[in-house]
C-alpha cells in the first residue's frame, strides 16, 4: 500500500479478533514509529505495551473514569499501548528557558505525530488501532509502571480488526484551506 492509500484507509478500530499480536510485529511497528519527527530531534515519546488480558481488563474497569466507550474498546483489545513522553526536554533550551511561546506544548505535538505514525505503521501491517484520551493517569500509574519524569499522553488499543469501518464524511478542501 502506498502512503496516500494508507492515510486514506486507516480507521479507528474498536472491535478486535481474539488473536494475539506477536511481539515481533509490535517491534516492527515501533521500528517505523522511531522515524516520527520530533522537536529538535529530542525523541521524547515512549510506549509501554500491555498484553496481559487481566491487566488490560483492570485498566478498562479502573483507569478510564468509567467512560463506557473506552471500557468496551479496551476490553476487546489484544494489546494496549500506553504512550508517554519524557518531560522537561521538548520546548526547552539548555538553560531551562522555553524556546517558544508554546512552552512545553511541543510535547503533545510530538506525541500526536508519534501516535499517528504508530497507527499508520500498524495499519500497513494489518493491525487495527484506536487512540483513546480519556483516562485517570494516577490510577493508570498504579496499575502500570510508568517511569518518573514521564507523563501519559494517550492509550492506544491494538488488535486484528473485527470490523470494517467506512470513511466518515470529510470536510471539503475549500472549507479547511486558505491561501493568503
Amino acid at each position: 500500500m502506498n502512503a496516500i492509500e494508507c492515510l486514506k484507509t486507516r480507521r479507528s478500530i474498536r472491535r478486535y479478533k481474539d488473536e494475539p499480536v506477536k511481539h515481533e510485529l509490535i517491534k516492527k511497528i515501533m521500528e517505523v514509529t522511531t522515524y516520527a519527527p520530533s522537536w529538535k530531534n529530542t525523541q521524547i515519546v515512549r510506549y509501554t505495551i500491555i498484553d496481559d488480558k487481566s491487566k488490560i481488563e483492570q485498566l478498562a474497569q479502573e483507569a478510564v473514569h468509567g467512560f463506557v466507550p473506552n471500557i468496551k474498546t479496551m476490553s476487546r483489545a489484544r494489546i494496549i499501548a500506553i504512550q508517554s513522553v519524557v518531560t522537561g526536554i521538548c520546548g526547552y533550551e539548555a538553560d531551562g528557558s522555553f524556546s517558544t511561546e508554546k512552552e512545553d506544548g511541543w510535547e503533545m505535538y510530538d506525541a500526536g505525530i508519534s501516535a499517528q505514525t504508530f497507527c499508520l505503521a500498524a495499519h500497513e501491517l494489518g493491525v487495527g488501532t484506536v487512540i483513546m484520551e480519556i483516562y485517570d493517569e494516577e490510577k493508570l500509574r498504579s496499575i502500570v509502571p510508568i517511569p518518573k519524569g514521564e507523563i501519559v499522553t494517550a492509550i492506544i488499543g491494538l488488535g486484528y480488526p473485527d470490523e470494517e469501518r467506512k470513511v466518515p464524511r470529510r470536510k471539503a478542501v475549500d472549507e479547511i484551506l486558505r491561501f493568503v
Side-chain angles (χ1 to χ4, degrees):
M1 143 180 5
N2 68 43
I4 292 174
E5 180 184 359
C6 189
L7 288 162
K8 287 185 171 184
T9 60
R10 189 246 160 217
R11 294 280 154 287
S12 291
I13 301 298
R14 293 174 177 85
R15 296 180 197 276
Y16 307 95
K17 294 178 181 174
D18 191 25
E19 292 177 38
V21 180
K22 294 185 183 211
H23 287 195
E24 294 77 32
L25 189 54
I26 298 299
K27 286 180 180 179
K28 284 182 184 179
I29 293 167
M30 285 308 307
E31 196 277 327
V32 173
T33 304
T34 66
Y35 285 87
S38 62
W39 183 86
K40 292 188 178 183
N41 197 32
T42 50
Q43 302 179 47
I44 62 166
V45 183
R46 303 291 185 268
Y47 291 84
T48 302
I49 302 297
I50 298 103
D51 61 1
D52 176 305
K53 202 63 179 153
S54 64
K55 185 85 59 188
I56 291 171
E57 191 58 36
Q58 184 181 8
L59 285 167
Q61 295 304 318
E62 299 176 20
V64 295
H65 296 297
F67 185 63
V68 174
N70 281 5
I71 293 169
K72 287 181 180 179
T73 299
M74 290 173 74
S75 294
R76 295 175 185 140
R78 291 302 304 197
I79 288 182
I80 294 295
I82 306 295
Q83 184 196 56
S84 57
V85 296
V86 178
T87 60
I89 298 171
C90 189
Y92 293 87
E93 292 300 313
D95 66 3
S97 65
F98 290 115
S99 299
T100 73
E101 293 173 3
K102 298 289 182 204
E103 298 181 347
D104 63 358
W106 291 105
E107 291 173 350
M108 287 303 290
Y109 195 84
D110 285 359
I113 294 169
S114 180
Q116 177 75 340
T117 303
F118 182 94
C119 292
L120 289 169
H123 177 55
E124 168 71 21
L125 295 171
V127 176
T129 57
V130 62
I131 301 169
M132 296 172 275
E133 292 291 333
I134 298 174
Y135 53 85
D136 178 334
E137 184 164 353
E138 186 176 322
K139 187 62 181 176
L140 186 149
R141 284 175 174 279
S142 74
I143 299 167
V144 177
I146 303 297
K148 189 175 179 176
E150 294 181 22
I151 58 169
V152 175
T153 48
I155 298 172
I156 303 174
L158 292 94
Y160 293 106
D162 196 20
E163 66 179 335
E164 194 169 315
R165 302 290 308 258
K166 294 186 179 178
V167 178
R169 186 187 83 72
R170 309 312 301 168
K171 292 184 178 185
V173 171
D174 290 340
E175 195 175 342
I176 61 171
L177 174 67
R178 289 185 282 272
F179 290 100
V180 180

